[in-house]
Amino acid sequence: MTDMWEVLTIIGTIAFALSGAIVAMEEKYDLMGVYILGLVTAFGGGAVRNLLIGVPVSALWEQGSLFIIAIVVMTIAFLFPVILHQQWIKFGLLFDAIGLSAFAIQGAMYATDMGHPLSAVIVAAALTGTGGGMIRDVLAGRKPLFLQQEIYIVWTMVAGALIGLHVVTTPMGYIVLFVSVIILRMLSVHYKWQLPRRELKSFPEKTNTSL
Amino acid sequence: MTDMWEVLTIIGTIAFALSGAIVAMEEKYDLMGVYILGLVTAFGGGAVRNLLIGVPVSALWEQGSLFIIAIVVMTIAFLFPVILHQQWIKFGLLFDAIGLSAFAIQGAMYATDMGHPLSAVIVAAALTGTGGGMIRDVLAGRKPLFLQQEIYIVWTMVAGALIGLHVVTTPMGYIVLFVSVIILRMLSVHYKWQLPRRELKSFPEKTNTSL
Amino acid sequence: MTDMWEVLTIIGTIAFALSGAIVAMEEKYDLMGVYILGLVTAFGGGAVRNLLIGVPVSALWEQGSLFIIAIVVMTIAFLFPVILHQQWIKFGLLFDAIGLSAFAIQGAMYATDMGHPLSAVIVAAALTGTGGGMIRDVLAGRKPLFLQQEIYIVWTMVAGALIGLHVVTTPMGYIVLFVSVIILRMLSVHYKWQLPRRELKSFPEKTNTSL
């Protein structure tokens, strides 16, 4: 079980580091910008989750080997961007889905083990799965896309709820949940599932933005 | 006294959750984006304050009933946006002012009780009152308006100073301060009070942005 | 030794507070915006570093006299912006470099004293030296320049590595390192040194931003 999670965490870290590195190259950042944005995407979600559920953020530094893996992957991405690009188009979506699912389930298990209430477990699942991408977009000066068309966050929250409510507790259950989140996420993209949305005209007075 | 503060905290939470939800709808976010931006606006200021004054951020999770209230209010807002809009135009400004005042005073009392110095109490008042709106604007990709035309933050800091200096200590004093901040904020909007400002041309070399 | 570091910290704080104040005036913020952006730039990097290396962020409040110095400097900057501008053009770059170097070395010493691994020391050096500017740019709605053309962050990381590996341990060593980082940074600007960069076209599908 522990082995399985370590493998998943490594895959998730690689996928998220690559995602940050590619956004950095799209924004024409230099080598340092690529490393920073990749590391923030891979480790930012876990750091914010730790902050919110009361684990010292400095626990980050115990993940030394993950850091090295992320650095190596981003260096390869920087050296061979065209090859990466082609592979990303083919497998990027699957990698993204695996990272999202692995991190969401890991975050929910972590919060549950600490005895937090259901609301905290759900938020921990959502933040671990999507928080890195959120920080990446804010740093890159992009409006976080997850707020605009992000049905995926719903799947992380459902996974969090199932773990927080102790519906899923066995190794087999975790594997089924892990695969289900991946499939749901892939289907969301393929069929362009969307949550309902509302559009309001901005007020001229903008009273609502003056808090 | 405790009862009064609970009522005020609830009103403030509702006002700030609505404010975030309305910005999210103006930015055409989906249902999940509305919930996220509303929760961030309602609870973000308190979370940053806790971080800066040394309370575990995870204390957030003890506010379970406030979470539920915020979720219910935002769901109603999402279902009936037009009615909300009309009420917001009428009472939004007053609600904003009540939220700002209640949260600023609550934050200042919290920091004072912990024995923090005056500077920390003033910052706690300002952050609790305005921090949620700040995070909301950064996430929504808006330039934080509070930096551009935000005399209101001054009132939160004056309230913080009066509490931190133990000028206000009695229940009656807190009520007077609470109403005063509301009135000052309403007057600021009505008479368009502004702080002095300076405008510098950007350097071509931008040396100042290269730290 | 302690005296020297206090002088350097004061110089760094002044330089960074002025940098934030000037950006705020370029963005036409009011007096409160100038204070907020200046304080965030001067103290934000240290606050984020503390968070990441496990020091309570509230340790910030023990720096009372630095706060007062920063406030006085920003008030003068606000009152006499033209004089400031002229001096900034002449000495701003040097001040920036001194602040960057002092803060990077201070951050690395801090993390080393706490027994953190090398990776944490390097990140502490980089964050203390450049984190304030990062937060300033995000709050001011600017795309963080440090991600786009920031070779300077490399010097802070080299300084962090030399301290973390215990290559530099004597007072004389720290002084040489301090001056070296200043010179390297000035040379980077003068000769427009750049790190390599890659540019990728954005995908139409944007699969990579949908984490």
Side-chain angles (χ1 to χ4, degrees), chain A residues 106-202:
Chain A
Q106 180 211 48
M109 291 176 75
Y110 203 25
T112 305
D113 284 350
M114 292 182 63
H116 277 294
L118 182 61
S119 57
V121 175
I122 293 174
V123 171
L127 268 179
T128 316
T130 67
M134 192 183 343
I135 302 175
R136 176 199 63 203
D137 288 344
V138 168
L139 279 182
R142 297 183 172 186
K143 201 172 285 198
L145 279 185
F146 81 100
L147 288 172
Q148 289 173 292
Q149 46 183 20
E150 197 51 91
I151 197 170
Y152 322 129
I153 205 171
V154 175
W155 310 133
T156 65
M157 296 174 81
V158 170
L162 291 174
I163 293 169
L165 291 168
H166 302 286
V167 175
V168 174
T169 52
T170 62
M172 199 55 206
Y174 284 119
I175 293 172
V176 170
L177 184 59
F178 172 64
V179 175
S180 304
V181 171
I182 295 175
I183 293 173
L184 282 169
R185 200 240 153 112
M186 303 285 285
L187 290 177
S188 305
V189 175
H190 192 258
Y191 292 105
K192 295 197 171 62
W193 287 343
Q194 290 200 339
L195 289 172
R197 68 185 60 216
R198 283 279 182 277
E199 181 177 345
L200 289 181
K201 291 264 189 310
S202 293

Side-chain angles (χ1 to χ4, degrees), chain B residues 14 20 54 103 108-109 112 120 129 137 151 155-156 158 167 184 194 201:
Chain B
I14 292 173
F103 273 22
M109 291 176 75
T112 305
D137 288 344
I151 198 170
W155 310 133
T156 64
V158 170
V167 174
L184 282 169
Q194 291 199 338
K201 292 264 190 307

